[in-house]
Amino acid sequence: MKTVKTNILAWSCLLAAGLTVTQNAVAQEEASKPNIILINMDNFGYGELGCYGGGILRGGATPRIDKLATEGMRLLNFNVEAQCTPSRAALMTGRYAVRTGNGSVPLSVADYGLTQWEYTMPEMLSDAGYATAMFGKWHLGQSEGRYPTDQGFDEWYGIPNSTDESLWPAQQDFQKYAKLAEKTGKNPMIKEEHIYTARKGSPVKAVKVYDIPARREIDREVTDHAKDFIGRQAKAGKPFFLYLPYTQTHMPNLPSKEFEGKSGNGNWGDVLMQIDAYTGELLDTLEHNKIAKNTIFIFTADNGGEMVPGYAGWNGPWSGSYFTGREGSLRVPFIIRWPGKVPAGKVSNEIVHQFDLFTTFASIAGGKVPQDRVIDGIDVSDFLLGKSEESGREGFVVYVGNDVHGVKWRNYKMLFKELEGDRGTGKLNVFPMPHFYNLFADPKEEYPVTQQMAGRLWYRWGLGPILVEHEKSLAAEPPIKPGTPDPYVPAKQNK
């Protein structure tokens, strides 16, 4: 009996030791994975920040973000999609938005958003051992099965759609038709929007109506949620992905009461100071929790500046607003800091597209990139970490909504369609021969037919193949139709 007890004790000790080794190995692996914080501003122009030529020029200094740029890398040629929903779809999936059925802001399809078949950035990072949270604007679905906590986030606080909806509750005609819609069951989407909260596996809960007072303070609340999440994860010792799609500077760009009048230069200056202060609070929270050195911190935006007069942003040297195929729509600020990893103070004009972040995060965090679908993002980690001077991306197809407007390759642009004027509300012109631009010589895209361009149309042999390859991929894997319900299974997987 004594021998049996001794053997049992020995095996128990070995088992305990094995479990301890395994737990330590998992803890060490998780500790080696960097935290990721991704700030994604809403309709925030290229020229707003001081380090991009704005700041005090726009009425509000941005010293904390300007300092962040000196501590990391600043990109001059970071590109996004031309509208909010497609931009966010591309970011979350690593794919052109048209592939996911989200090529345009939903104006008529209520059941929009990402199907459950899509494999999102938070799902990929969650599978790699990350805690995930999103605080802010989603704009990729407004129904059960399509909220952030259905798509990989552990927790969410924010709005499902867009900030202009905060203007609706104060309108008498809206209230009249909202009550009628509720009574008759017709036009169910004419209703007040709410701020929601949710955790993975549980239904979303409405917190309050998203009206003008709520609009003013939502980014304050988002920041507080983010700081709390950082603190909790720092104590837990688990790597985390924190996605912060702020609501500024989407119209109405009204500052928090805390910052109202602070710049002395109107709402825009106040809002810039607010954005800078909130970013500074997040950076300070990382320092307080002693995790700044192992955290990738990114500041960027979903689109270029607004097109509505009175709310219009500033896109620096570029022409066009969002909803156009011009550089003012496509290029946004991008700053990345990872102390000791990303070269400090580096500035680059290499092309990077927002869907490259999916594959890059997968590479850095040990995540898996799906092999059963087209992924448009490439891994630019060597470039961001200073191991390569080139990003590896030469260009991309320019979409406005679901339509191809052109192609960008290196510093050249070929557009088949353009909207008249500098905003996304002008007449659409379709050209019998494409317009070509050299963005070094003509950054504002003002002169499509010049003596120089007429004699240098070899450019098309760099531009054209990008579109040809893209069209082949669409033929091989047809895009999901907007409004496609779940469950969705691609036709090729049904065979």
Side-chain angles (χ1 to χ4, degrees):
M1 183 65 71
K2 182 178 180 181
T3 303
V4 173
K5 287 183 178 179
T6 302
N7 287 340
I8 292 173
L9 180 61
W11 279 110
S12 298
C13 290
L14 285 172
L15 181 60
L19 287 172
T20 301
V21 169
T22 302
Q23 289 169 349
N24 288 341
V26 171
Q28 288 174 4
E29 182 183 355
E30 289 186 345
S32 68
K33 295 176 183 287
N35 307 308
I36 302 170
I37 296 178
L38 175 56
I39 293 177
N40 195 30
M41 304 305 299
D42 197 1
N43 301 348
F44 190 76
Y46 182 96
E48 300 296 359
L49 300 172
C51 55
Y52 281 88
I56 58 174
L57 191 69
R58 293 286 284 150
T62 55
R64 294 302 302 270
I65 301 175
D66 297 345
K67 185 174 184 291
L68 179 70
T70 68
E71 297 169 344
M73 180 186 289
R74 178 165 57 95
L75 300 187
L76 305 181
N77 207 340
F78 183 77
N79 298 266
V80 298
E81 299 283 351
Q83 300 175 18
C84 295
T85 294
S87 180
R88 292 155 196 268
L91 177 66
M92 288 291 108
T93 64
R95 291 152 50 83
Y96 282 105
V98 69
R99 297 192 193 279
T100 72
N102 291 280
S104 180
V105 169
L107 297 177
S108 58
V109 179
D111 189 20
Y112 78 103
L114 298 174
T115 64
Q116 287 291 315
W117 177 80
E118 294 292 342
Y119 188 60
T120 66
M121 182 183 288
E123 286 175 322
M124 178 266 292
L125 291 170
S126 181
D127 288 344
Y130 279 67
T132 60
M134 176 193 150
F135 305 118
K137 169 184 168 178
W138 178 231
H139 220 177
L140 286 173
Q142 58 184 354
S143 57
E144 289 298 331
R146 299 203 171 177
Y147 289 116
T149 44
D150 300 313
Q151 302 286 4
F153 287 106
D154 296 330
E155 52 189 279
W156 170 51
Y157 179 92
I159 56 173
N161 296 316
S162 193
T163 291
D164 56 281
E165 296 182 6
S166 66
L167 294 165
W168 297 358
Q171 300 166 7
Q172 287 185 339
D173 53 345
F174 165 78
Q175 288 293 346
K176 178 176 72 173
Y177 287 107
K179 290 176 182 177
L180 186 63
E182 184 179 13
K183 181 179 179 180
T184 64
K186 295 180 179 179
N187 308 114
M189 297 314 298
I190 301 179
K191 60 180 181 179
E192 291 179 330
E193 190 51 270
H194 288 73
I195 295 174
Y196 291 92
T197 186
R199 288 188 175 270
K200 184 184 292 185
S202 300
V204 300
K205 296 179 181 178
V207 177
K208 56 186 170 184
V209 172
Y210 191 47
D211 54 14
I212 290 299
R215 190 275 169 276
R216 285 186 178 274
E217 305 305 330
I218 187 170
D219 282 5
R220 170 73 271 168
E221 295 173 356
V222 163
T223 305
D224 290 341
H225 278 276
K227 289 161 63 178
D228 174 68
F229 177 78
I230 292 170
R232 283 187 279 123
Q233 299 312 317
K235 288 180 181 178
K238 186 174 183 178
F240 64 83
F241 170 51
L242 173 57
Y243 177 47
L244 281 169
Y246 278 118
T247 64
Q248 295 288 3
T249 48
H250 193 292
M251 59 86 69
N253 50 315
L254 302 171
S256 163
K257 290 294 184 182
E258 177 186 2
F259 286 89
E260 189 173 20
K262 195 163 187 177
S263 71
N265 296 315
N267 283 347
W268 206 274
D270 295 346
V271 165
L272 284 178
M273 293 182 71
Q274 173 180 308
I275 292 167
D276 190 69
Y278 292 169
T279 303
E281 288 183 27
L282 295 169
L283 293 168
D284 291 343
T285 301
L286 293 177
E287 293 290 347
H288 175 75
N289 286 281
K290 298 180 173 55
I291 57 173
K293 289 184 178 180
N294 196 38
T295 299
I296 297 171
F297 193 100
I298 294 173
F299 184 101
T300 188
D302 70 336
N303 304 126
E306 285 274 3
M307 61 184 170
V308 180
Y311 293 122
W314 188 48
N315 296 314
W318 316 112
S319 66
S321 69
Y322 79 143
F323 278 78
T324 75
R326 292 174 175 264
E327 292 299 287
S329 170
L330 305 177
R331 291 204 205 196
V332 296
F334 184 93
I335 300 167
I336 177 170
R337 186 190 79 171
W338 187 7
K341 303 286 187 178
V342 172
K346 187 167 185 177
V347 180
S348 176
N349 193 45
E350 282 288 294
I351 293 178
V352 176
H353 197 283
Q354 65 188 156
F355 46 53
D356 295 330
L357 294 183
F358 183 98
T359 34
T360 301
F361 288 171
S363 175
I364 291 172
K368 293 182 180 179
V369 177
Q371 302 299 310
D372 63 342
R373 66 201 68 192
V374 176
I375 297 293
D376 299 294
I378 64 171
D379 178 6
V380 297
S381 58
D382 281 353
F383 166 66
L384 294 177
L385 297 177
K387 298 176 183 178
S388 171
E389 290 298 313
E390 298 181 349
S391 69
R393 174 167 296 286
E394 292 199 338
F396 57 91
V397 177
V398 176
Y399 274 93
V400 178
N402 292 300
D403 296 330
V404 172
H405 274 221
V407 182
K408 183 172 171 178
W409 172 71
R410 296 183 181 269
N411 59 290
Y412 304 111
K413 196 104 164 270
M414 174 173 66
L415 292 179
F416 310 108
K417 304 175 182 179
E418 280 189 84
L419 291 162
E420 286 185 358
D422 215 30
R423 299 186 176 92
T425 54
K427 176 186 175 183
L428 178 64
N429 292 321
V430 181
F431 310 125
M433 177 180 176
H435 283 186
F436 291 87
Y437 297 99
N438 180 338
L439 297 172
F440 286 160
D442 183 16
K444 294 185 96 53
E445 300 168 83
E446 295 177 302
Y447 308 108
V449 182
T450 65
Q451 185 180 41
Q452 181 201 44
M453 292 300 290
R456 301 175 70 85
L457 290 182
W458 55 264
Y459 300 155
R460 70 186 186 274
W461 299 116
L463 292 153
I466 294 174
L467 182 58
V468 171
E469 288 302 310
H470 179 64
E471 289 176 336
K472 286 181 180 177
S473 74
L474 291 176
E477 182 185 296
I480 299 171
K481 294 181 180 179
T484 295
D486 287 310
Y488 167 78
V489 178
K492 63 181 180 180
Q493 292 186 13
N494 275 325
K495 296 179 180 178

